[in-house]
Amino acid sequence: MWKYYLRLSLYSLRKTPALSLLMVLAIATGIAANLTILTMHSVVSSNPLEHKNERLFAVQLNAWDPDREYFALNAIPPQLTYQDAKALYDANVADEVVVMRKAGVTIQHPESTELPSAYATRMTTRDFFSMFNVQFIFGGPWSKNADEGPENVVVISEGLNNKFFKGANSLGQAIMLDGEIFTVTGVVSERWQLVPNVYDLNNRPFEAAPDAYLPFFFSAAKPYQSWGNTQGWSDKEIKTHVDFLQGEDVWIQAWVSLNSDEKRQEFTQFLESYISTQKEQGRFKRSPGYQLNTPQEWLNINNVVSKDDKQLLMISFVFLMICLVNSTVLMLAKFLRKAPEAGIRRALGATRHSIFFQHLTEAFIVGAAGALLGLLLSLGGLAAVRTLYSNYENVAVFNGFTVAAAILLALVATLFSGFLPAWRISHAVPAQYLKTR
Amino acid sequence: MLDVMPIIKSLWRNKTGPLLIVIQLSLTIAVVSTALFVVSERIAKIERPSGMIEAGMFKIWMRENSPDADMEQIAKRDMDIIRATQGVIDATPISSIPVSGGGSSTSLYKNPEDKLTDFPTAIYEMTEHGLPALGLALIEGRNFNTNEVIFFGRENAPKHTAAIITKDIADKMFPDESAVGKTVYMGGLQLTIVGIIERLMGPWPDSEYATSATILPVIVKDDAINYLVRTESGQRDAIMHSLLEKLRSIDSTRLVGDEKSMEKIKRESYAGDYAMIKILSFVIFVLIFVNALGIFGLTTFWVNQRRKQIGIRRALGSTKAEVMRYFMVENIVLVVFSAVVGTIIAYLNSSYMARTHSMEILPVTYVLITILFLLLVTIMAAYSPIRKATQISPVEAVSNL
């Protein structure tokens, strides 16, 4: 039966090419706009650490100004002071502990005569690599000793490896970082990229993975060029790097993994006792003294999904609805114009049911064509979004979600725009149309 | 007298189509007026004057790799080279770039003991060439003297310095008197205000304090610094690239790069706003188009449906103008209904966004503009099918019977 409906529908659509095209275009535009924004939103609002959401925690410690609360986010600084980060690391309570910062480091091949340039470098403890599931193509993380030494070891990105070593296995090779020789212990795969990069949401949540990684505690030895945020409130003068390390400026991100409830308890007990000893020294006058946030909570606190994103999402749905209503109106007009035909068919014995499904088939063809065209148009839409937002290379990409959403939208579009007209025509009284013939 | 009641009655009798059109038009009115408002807000934000003369302006970032380099000498040497370049108006070393998204901020205090009355401000460190290089308008007091400019290492920070502040923060701190000559405090540093400039944006355009800025003539000797250069218009890119080469050739161990025109810096800083403007303008355009097509399609259909009625009316003495008026009024009635519903939807959304996302309430002008514009579009889209209706000959009324 449905083959017959299909044939009738195609015939009917061909009879009014302009109107059919308009309906398909209306649906396609709505679906394209909706898919573009929906895809963007699905990536912006995703949590790449979902599978570890119960075990990972961003650590916030509140050693901020006793006179006023921290001015943003959840009123607790998002980063730690050096002394607190060091204490957190030294305590060795959590299953994994990451303290880190973003720096700009000059990287050169020792034999190269090229002009030096600076690269985005993450200075971190080694647990970073296991905690955030970093994939290596060569080698792996450095040792625990290298963390504490710190030893002159470096992990580089595949991009940097291609540039300096032409993609060859560079383990054990030497490169110059800010004029010092470092040994490569690992090369990170190009495919590894958290979107959004939950581990550091301070600056741009969608920026590319770092070019290089080196042990965090080099930060203690000398000032590296900070490419992250440094915030302070204290009037105490900072004359030397040691003053800076001992001061109240916050500039370090900290994460812990706590794999069991016992660990969690142990860790909170450690924090509480640490804070109470610090209180005796006149620090930590604000409350709460600390907060542990899961990756999802951290994404929420940092407003990774912006007001603009939310507004665009809402607009894209209303936009789709307007386009669908428009297509419904056109389809209704078309079906009612064909009412005499339906009247004759009814008079010749076709049931309401079959008239309804025949017209719904026609609506479905229009909906499917619209969804397909919309899917194609959304490729253009996503490309446009990538050019509009410079750092959205990882965000505005066509993915399985887009296709699934397109199929769903096609069904919804058909039902929404076809149901009413099909119902109306199947309930028209045949006699009325026969009479005028 | 315009036959409005009979028209409404007739619309009501065949309500499915008209109802759908009202839904479509009212949602359109709500979306378009909201989008128009957001677009105009963003344009106003981007077009806020920065206080600088941005044409011909660019920056270069420089970092010295050798640990015992003396930044003071290097910066002064580089400045001499830059200022001697043909086409350069002026140049200054600067701690961070206005409107660039990265920089430093702090609070000023009138009384160092009263920590609760603070005046947040962006901080720029530059030399006496800063005012002419940025093209800032001094409205009171004076520029820095050469001997007030200090390059200092972190280990011997000055305790006292001159400062130039924006009118915005001067008015907040000293609403009833001139700020020039006053002493204010910034942490352990004592500032004497020597001049007030009309305007200068801070590094963060989204900040509440975007127009509060303080300029200090003291430059910390770190290993990296920015140079801000203003050139004669039209020569910017050529000078930028030749200076880059020149500065690199003097000392090949240091990093010289990240060169950007002020135009590009602003474009990057406002990228999100530009994106919203473009996306929403596109939405407005497409929605208007989709609606025009909808009205066109529906009017064509209605006219075709009622060929016979029109024929009868014409046969009974209606003029072409009366037929035209009937259909026009019908469309206008639909727009009026939609206007009411659309306004309600727009304000429900606006008050929700205001409550949950602290956005401004939609000004009524945007709704009115949208309604008028949509009315115009409706009339234009309906015109051609209606004109066809007026061509229907009275003979049609009888021919088919």
Side-chain angles (χ1 to χ4, degrees), chain A residues 403-435:
Chain A
V403 181
I407 294 169
L408 197 72
L409 285 178
L411 285 173
V412 171
T414 310
L415 281 178
F416 191 95
S417 67
F419 185 87
L420 189 75
W423 188 83
R424 273 281 268 132
I425 184 129
S426 64
H427 281 72
V429 188
Q432 192 189 327
Y433 299 107
L434 292 175
K435 201 174 61 187

Side-chain angles (χ1 to χ4, degrees), chain B residues 261-320:
Chain B
S261 66
M262 184 49 77
E263 196 187 334
K264 187 167 180 211
I265 292 169
K266 269 188 106 172
R267 208 165 49 232
E268 288 177 357
S269 266
Y270 288 115
D273 299 302
Y274 279 116
M276 278 299 263
I277 290 173
K278 285 183 186 157
I279 293 176
L280 292 179
S281 308
F282 180 75
V283 164
I284 293 171
F285 175 78
V286 174
L287 277 185
I288 297 289
F289 188 67
V290 163
N291 274 288
L293 285 182
I295 296 284
F296 176 81
L298 199 74
T299 313
T300 308
F301 165 71
W302 274 336
V303 168
N304 279 326
Q305 276 257 305
R306 285 181 281 189
R307 289 189 80 83
K308 216 172 66 178
Q309 281 148 274
I310 296 165
I312 293 171
R313 284 197 65 177
R314 293 277 286 125
L316 291 178
S318 279
T319 61
K320 286 185 178 184

